[in-house]
Amino acid sequence: QVQLVESGGGLVQPGGSLRLSCVASGFRFSAYTMYWYRQAPGKERELVAVITSAGTRTNYADAVKGRFTISRDNAKNTVYLQMNSLKPEDTAVYYCYTPVDSNYWGQGTQVTVSS
């Protein structure tokens, strides 16, 4: 049974940084590409970043390129999202995702960027 537990969100001022974590269980984590999505109030969920199973390739939404970094530690079954130079428009609930169970979403972690 797939389980994804996100953490690390919070309230931060514009220009600040946060590091999100997602601990996975219930599947062979090291074999799968992992994703970070976000959903802002009143908006559809959008893809933020992707990392391949070995962590050798990454890809980012244009809105976060150069500010966010996705990484993973397969020994810890964990994927990270380092977010720097945060902007108010980054405010959203952030979710990690695995295609192992396309219908499963964790509880997410709230990121609020505000002065």
Side-chain angles (χ1 to χ4, degrees):
Q1 178 178 348
V2 170
Q3 188 171 15
L4 301 170
V5 180
E6 301 94 339
S7 64
L11 173 63
V12 63
Q13 291 188 342
S17 297
L18 284 173
R19 188 195 196 203
L20 307 184
S21 299
C22 169
V23 179
S25 60
F27 64 103
R28 195 158 66 96
F29 178 79
S30 61
Y32 290 90
T33 293
M34 292 296 295
Y35 303 77
W36 280 100
Y37 281 81
R38 69 185 180 186
Q39 187 166 21
K43 295 189 176 181
E44 291 189 358
R45 197 168 291 175
E46 63 174 353
L47 179 62
V48 174
V50 184
I51 187 166
T52 54
S53 57
T56 52
R57 285 187 296 169
T58 59
N59 204 3
Y60 299 91
D62 287 344
V64 307
K65 260 179 202 172
R67 300 188 298 122
F68 289 12
T69 303
I70 188 171
S71 62
R72 65 192 296 161
D73 184 338
N74 285 344
K76 295 182 178 179
N77 283 8
T78 301
V79 60
Y80 304 98
L81 187 67
Q82 177 68 43
M83 306 187 298
N84 299 329
S85 303
L86 282 161
K87 304 176 181 181
E89 52 263 43
D90 295 318
T91 295
V93 179
Y94 284 72
Y95 302 87
C96 63
Y97 173 80
T98 173
V100 174
D101 182 347
S102 60
N103 292 319
Y104 175 84
W105 293 90
Q107 85 287 350
T109 186
Q110 175 71 48
V111 172
T112 303
V113 185
S114 175
S115 54

